[in-house]
Amino acid sequence: MPASRRAILRAMPSANPTLLGPVPGIEVKGPTELITQGKRMELKAIKRVTGIHLAPKYLVVVYRDESGRKAIITAYFTSSLKKVKGDVVWKA
């Protein structure tokens, strides 16, 4: 095994943890406040989330809607809607 690969594998357990699973207390299903469309035809569903250990934030779920099937690309928290780029498709 190359030395660089060994170093990477050895460092992985000590790396900073990332969020890979569901977050307790956050309801993903439900009405969104805003849906925008990105440059690559992806949709972004945005909902304000409170009651988590962070200050109130917006949960942005980026997904594609292809022939009735929705595929989630990624999801992230943001504190400002100005950071979410795209044209507004639907607003509550």
Side-chain angles (χ1 to χ4, degrees):
M1 182 181 322
S4 60
R5 180 184 269 177
R6 255 184 280 138
I8 291 170
L9 292 175
R10 206 173 313 125
M12 285 177 89
S14 64
N16 292 334
T18 56
L19 181 64
L20 297 176
V23 176
I26 294 178
E27 178 185 318
V28 176
K29 292 172 55 176
T32 59
E33 297 174 11
L34 183 68
I35 296 178
T36 61
Q37 185 168 12
K39 292 180 181 178
R40 297 185 185 107
M41 303 304 289
E42 74 276 5
L43 296 169
K44 300 173 188 176
I46 303 163
K47 182 176 183 178
R48 184 176 165 95
V49 179
T50 58
I52 55 175
H53 67 283
L54 305 169
K57 302 271 184 185
Y58 292 95
L59 176 63
V60 181
V61 179
V62 183
Y63 68 97
R64 289 192 194 269
D65 191 2
E66 298 172 350
S67 21
R69 287 185 51 181
K70 291 180 176 61
I72 295 175
I73 299 169
T74 189
Y76 60 93
F77 288 106
T78 184
S79 57
S80 173
L81 286 178
K82 293 178 183 176
K83 296 178 182 178
V84 181
K85 306 289 185 198
D87 298 325
V88 175
V89 177
W90 182 83
K91 187 172 183 176

